[in-house]
Amino acid sequence: MDYDLIISGAGPAGLCLARALSGHGLRLAVVEQQPLAALEDPAFDGREIALTQHSAQLMRTLGLWERIEPHALSPLRDARVMNGPSPFAMVIDHALGKRSELGWLVSNHLIRRAAFECVQQSRQEHADITLMASESVSGVRTDAEAAHVTLASGALLKARMLVAADSRFSTTRRAMGIAADLHDFGRSMLVCCMTHDEPHHHAAWEWFGYGQTLALLPMNDDPATGEHRSSVVLTLPSQDIDPLVTLEPATFNQEMARRFDQRLGRMTLASTRHAYPLVAVYPRRLVGQRFACVGDAAVGMHPVTAHGFNFGLLSIDNLAGTVRAAHARGADIAAPDGLARYEQTQRRATLPLYLATQLVTQLYTRDNPPARALRTLALHVGERFTPFKRLIAASLTGGG
């Protein structure tokens, strides 16, 4: 079973890469351990994805954007950063980015569904994608000629190139002998959708409280009731999150309103609750012999900067462009020089923000008096320094 390229993982990154390469004369295989039904109709997982303007344009190019219900695309107009109990906020206004909005918010499961539908369309139009659901990669090796993949079922695949798109904890990347720097924050985040009395004005909140971190991601009003609605993210030490996941809904509503200091008024749970550990991952290398990483397998970001999937789309755009260009001129799609250029481009785009994010999260999760004072000072200085805020706005829009 020979292919030009095998993609390990059919999450949004793997599916988008297959879509980006389809129709260019390449034979593609996508291997995914989830069953086909889970890919066709992914369940709500609590996560709202913040998309830059550049990412939104890439999704339009791939055909995902128009497959998402317009009401599910919520504009992110402004961002507010707060510290402790103070009502003061550093405000990143959409006007700084010279746009009517900084970006967009879309539920992760809707992106997954749209990506799958696009791949199915490509399969029908070009017959160049083989989707292997309910399968997993159990072994890999590469040589000068090909990548060799063994599946858990015992099937053997061979391709000119192998791509890992199987999460920040990628087993494919590990099987290739590529180490990664992993930072476990010792915290977990609870995510869910809630309705509330007070409007959010389509502004995102990042609230570094004392002993907790809160985020509010503005969604469009509930289409059935007209109530204000947001994705709510609470970050606490991991042992404190688990009891909240199973707390009786009425008590949970009261607890969340209390944690938000009643700033949103009454809050009501409007979805299932989900908990995720906070772990950031950065691989030592992004490429190997006939091998490359994309998506979270290339960088697993802390969500505070909301750039995880944006970097994933950037990696797909970069790698797909490299592969298509090589194939068009009859060159090796996995040539070392092409993969090296991909790695350099992706590292330049992601490593500075990854490191900066680590510093920000360390500062804003410390609760000793000097750290609290420094946090407050940093926000007040940032609010008054327009070039700094303009830089953040450019990051949130993706420079597009």
Side-chain angles (χ1 to χ4, degrees), residues 155-198:
L156 302 177
L157 311 180
K158 185 172 72 172
R160 291 196 285 164
M161 184 176 176
L162 170 65
V163 176
D166 53 343
S167 87
R168 67 186 62 199
F169 306 113
S170 171
T171 56
T172 308
R173 183 187 65 218
R174 176 181 288 273
M176 284 294 296
I178 295 179
D181 294 320
L182 181 149
H183 186 90
D184 189 334
F185 293 89
R187 294 170 177 259
S188 294
M189 62 178 186
L190 182 151
V191 292
C192 63
C193 174
M194 301 191 76
T195 58
H196 44 86
D197 289 342
E198 299 299 321

Side-chain angles (χ1 to χ4, degrees), residues 22-46:
S22 182
H24 294 274
L26 295 163
R27 296 160 299 164
L28 310 168
V30 182
V31 180
E32 170 57 44
Q33 62 182 355
Q34 291 189 92
L36 187 61
L39 298 177
E40 291 176 335
D41 188 19
F44 174 77
D45 61 13

Side-chain angles (χ1 to χ4, degrees), residues 1-321:
M1 300 177 70
D2 291 352
Y3 300 92
D4 291 300
L5 191 140
I6 297 171
I7 302 169
S8 175
L15 292 172
C16 285
L17 180 60
R19 173 69 170 186
L21 293 173
S22 182
H24 294 274
L26 295 163
R27 296 160 299 164
L28 310 168
V30 182
V31 180
E32 170 57 44
Q33 62 182 355
Q34 291 189 92
L36 187 61
L39 298 177
E40 291 176 335
D41 188 19
F44 174 77
D45 61 13
R47 290 177 289 187
E48 292 294 312
I49 306 300
L51 297 169
T52 64
Q53 297 286 358
H54 181 60
S55 292
Q57 185 54 51
L58 289 176
M59 287 179 61
R60 293 184 185 98
T61 300
L62 293 171
L64 275 69
W65 196 260
E66 60 266 31
R67 293 178 180 274
I68 298 174
E69 179 69 29
H71 194 269
L73 301 166
S74 178
L76 174 57
R77 295 207 174 97
D78 306 314
R80 300 171 58 85
V81 184
M82 297 170 285
N83 178 53
S86 171
F88 174 83
M90 180 177 72
V91 180
I92 310 301
D93 189 280
H94 61 273
L96 292 166
K98 300 179 181 180
R99 297 274 191 166
S100 57
E101 66 280 316
L102 293 170
W104 301 86
L105 288 162
V106 188
S107 291
N108 185 58
H109 73 291
L110 298 180
I111 295 175
R112 295 175 67 97
R113 180 183 299 157
F116 179 80
E117 291 174 356
C118 285
V119 165
Q120 291 294 76
Q121 180 183 357
S122 288
R123 294 177 71 196
Q124 294 172 2
E125 293 178 353
H126 307 296
D128 56 1
I129 302 174
T130 300
L131 180 59
M132 303 177 186
S134 300
E135 272 283 18
S136 60
V137 173
S138 62
V140 301
R141 68 177 180 87
T142 62
D143 54 38
E145 301 299 324
H148 306 269
V149 176
T150 303
L151 302 184
S153 63
L156 302 177
L157 311 180
K158 185 172 72 172
R160 291 196 285 164
M161 184 176 176
L162 170 65
V163 176
D166 53 343
S167 87
R168 67 186 62 199
F169 306 113
S170 171
T171 56
T172 308
R173 183 187 65 218
R174 176 181 288 273
M176 284 294 296
I178 295 179
D181 294 320
L182 181 149
H183 186 90
D184 189 334
F185 293 89
R187 294 170 177 259
S188 294
M189 62 178 186
L190 182 151
V191 292
C192 63
C193 174
M194 301 191 76
T195 58
H196 44 86
D197 289 342
E198 299 299 321
H200 47 54
H201 303 294
H202 284 278
W205 294 12
E206 191 67 46
W207 186 357
F208 298 100
Y210 297 157
Q212 65 178 11
T213 301
L214 294 161
L216 179 141
L217 303 176
M219 303 172 69
N220 291 323
D221 291 346
D222 187 291
T225 66
E227 294 177 287
H228 304 306
R229 186 172 56 153
S230 297
S231 174
V232 172
V233 185
L234 169 65
T235 302
L236 292 169
S238 297
Q239 69 270 20
D240 297 330
I241 284 290
D242 292 341
L244 293 173
V245 175
T246 55
L247 198 62
E248 191 273 329
T251 306
F252 177 81
N253 295 339
Q254 295 172 359
E255 174 66 8
M256 293 303 293
R258 181 190 70 79
R259 288 183 175 275
F260 272 88
D261 200 22
Q262 311 298 328
R263 295 186 188 187
L264 294 169
R266 182 183 54 186
M267 301 178 69
T268 305
L269 186 65
S271 74
T272 50
R273 287 165 277 183
H274 303 263
Y276 299 97
L278 281 182
V279 181
V281 181
Y282 205 92
R284 303 280 178 84
R285 292 183 291 125
L286 302 185
V287 301
Q289 186 180 50
R290 299 198 169 274
F291 175 78
C293 300
V294 297
D296 279 358
V299 54
M301 291 289 293
H302 188 291
V304 68
T305 52
H307 267 300
F309 189 54
N310 295 305
F311 282 159
L313 284 172
L314 182 63
S315 68
I316 290 154
D317 190 43
N318 288 338
L319 184 61

